[in-house]
Amino acid sequence: VAPDANFFELGGHSLLAVSLLDTIEREMGTRLTLSVLAGHPTVSALARVLLDEGWEPERGSLIRMRTGGDGPPFVLLHAFEGHLFLYNELADRLSVHHPVFGCQAVGLDDSAPPLGSVEQMAAHYLALVDEQLGDGPIVLGAMCFGVSVGLEMARRRCSAGKPTHLMLIDSAWDQVASSHTPGPRRSFAVRLRSRALHEFTRGRSWMRETIRMVTGSPYARREARVRRHTAKAWYEYSPLPFDGRITMLCVRPKDPGARDWKAESLQLLAVGDFESIYVPGDHFTLLRAPDVGHLADAMIAAVNRPVITP
């Protein structure tokens, strides 16, 4: 492995990251956080951190991922796993025109216990965003579980008169609601909870795999704990409409019978401005080259598009 080889480009993922950081702590006596690896993904970059005797790990949930241009800052919201690894390549491309921040889950760095609800997460992240970025316009980017947190953050920010543009990255999930379920908002909540149950099942499988791979690792235990809290928070959340902007970025048009949300599902919530954009790739390649370049271009173009008047 070359000194400038990128951990993630070599195929690194969260399970391997946990194993790597645990080995570094055991061999070098230095505890690094997952956010440090996200910002220093090469051997040489990690070596500089380890050789800096005055270095202190970055704590907290709002992480500056990349510096960038003078456009509205992007704030990328963690998915089910709680960390920001999946957004590394996207942040590189967005930072040409925009600074990029990320919200990682409370509890990953062991500075505090995980938060137990979407509302608590949204309030905590918004306090950090307001403190560091002020009341100006921001763009929230989310996929997977981050959709629920993004919806709540956007609703609260718009209610306070702060310009907020929510972008959902191939994140939708459509489950046919029960015929006795009243109202579109309730139907939306049923779909959201169905997805949460699916992720909870997936999370249990992930925890078993983690135990086999990194038994006794404090990093693995913290991430498994975050996943349990995330699944519970997702299941219990019911979204509300808000007068803001939603852009849904989807891969190729879905088959009408596919279990993915249709644009109409999100239009129930975006009473102000909604658009749906198709980009090349699939759900698993969307955040990796070359498809991530098309995604970033579409996100930047959507930010610059004039607001649609309802």
Side-chain angles (χ1 to χ4, degrees):
V1 176
D4 59 350
N6 188 293
F7 174 81
F8 302 100
E9 292 174 3
L10 292 173
H13 50 73
S14 61
L15 288 176
L16 288 176
V18 164
S19 180
L20 171 63
L21 296 182
D22 188 54
T23 301
I24 288 175
E25 181 175 353
R26 186 170 60 251
E27 298 292 335
M28 306 294 294
T30 301
R31 174 179 289 186
L32 303 178
T33 62
L34 291 168
S35 60
V36 170
L37 180 57
H40 304 78
T42 67
V43 174
S44 58
L46 281 175
R48 287 194 295 271
V49 169
L50 292 168
L51 290 171
D52 182 359
E53 294 183 357
W55 177 85
E56 289 291 336
E58 184 177 9
R59 301 287 184 180
S61 293
L62 186 63
I63 307 298
R64 178 183 287 274
M65 298 183 69
R66 305 288 188 276
T67 56
D70 55 3
F74 274 87
V75 180
L76 305 177
L77 306 174
H78 67 82
F80 188 64
E81 296 81 3
H83 54 69
L84 300 169
F85 294 156
L86 74 166
Y87 295 126
N88 274 351
E89 293 185 46
L90 178 62
D92 283 339
R93 287 159 175 79
L94 292 176
S95 64
V96 174
H97 301 287
H98 301 264
V100 183
F101 294 79
C103 288
Q104 72 173 13
V106 175
L108 279 184
D109 62 7
D110 206 27
S111 60
L115 299 176
S117 71
V118 167
E119 291 82 0
Q120 289 177 344
M121 295 177 196
H124 179 71
Y125 302 156
L126 280 177
L128 298 175
V129 167
D130 289 348
E131 178 183 352
Q132 189 156 343
L133 302 180
D135 297 339
I138 66 170
V139 183
L140 297 174
M143 70 183 308
C144 191
F145 167 75
V147 172
S148 57
V149 180
L151 288 168
E152 184 65 21
M153 290 176 68
R155 184 187 69 80
R156 294 185 182 211
R157 218 168 181 270
C158 289
S159 297
K162 302 172 184 178
T164 305
H165 187 170
L166 176 61
M167 294 192 179
L168 309 183
I169 305 170
D170 202 49
S171 305
W173 182 269
D174 226 326
Q175 179 87 358
V176 177
S178 302
S179 58
H180 63 272
T181 304
R185 176 175 166 262
R186 178 59 182 165
S187 299
F188 183 92
V190 168
R191 287 191 289 271
L192 200 64
R193 289 172 181 177
S194 174
R195 178 61 170 170
L197 287 173
H198 167 79
E199 292 296 344
F200 183 73
T201 302
R202 186 168 70 94
R204 287 188 297 182
S205 299
W206 180 93
M207 282 185 275
R208 287 194 293 267
E209 183 181 355
T210 300
I211 291 170
R212 287 195 299 269
M213 188 170 180
V214 284
T215 301
S217 165
Y219 296 95
R221 289 197 299 269
R222 288 197 292 271
E223 189 171 334
R225 183 175 60 170
V226 165
R227 281 171 173 259
R228 290 196 299 270
H229 283 75
T230 298
K232 178 177 180 294
W234 200 353
Y235 178 77
E236 293 176 349
Y237 178 63
S238 294
L240 293 169
F242 65 95
D243 186 16
R245 299 182 66 184
I246 291 183
T247 298
M248 186 166 72
L249 299 118
C250 308
V251 297
R252 66 181 67 87
K254 312 292 185 182
D255 180 270
R259 299 177 67 194
D260 290 285
W261 282 350
K262 289 42 170 198
E264 311 87 74
S265 302
L266 290 169
Q267 281 179 295
L268 297 173
L269 296 176
V271 297
D273 181 3
F274 174 85
E275 67 174 335
S276 182
I277 300 173
Y278 289 107
V279 291
D282 61 41
H283 188 75
F284 299 100
T285 67
L286 194 56
L287 293 175
R288 298 289 177 263
D291 294 335
V292 69
H294 301 294
L295 173 64
D297 290 344
M299 294 174 74
I300 292 170
V303 172
N304 296 322
R305 177 185 59 76
V307 176
I308 298 174
T309 303

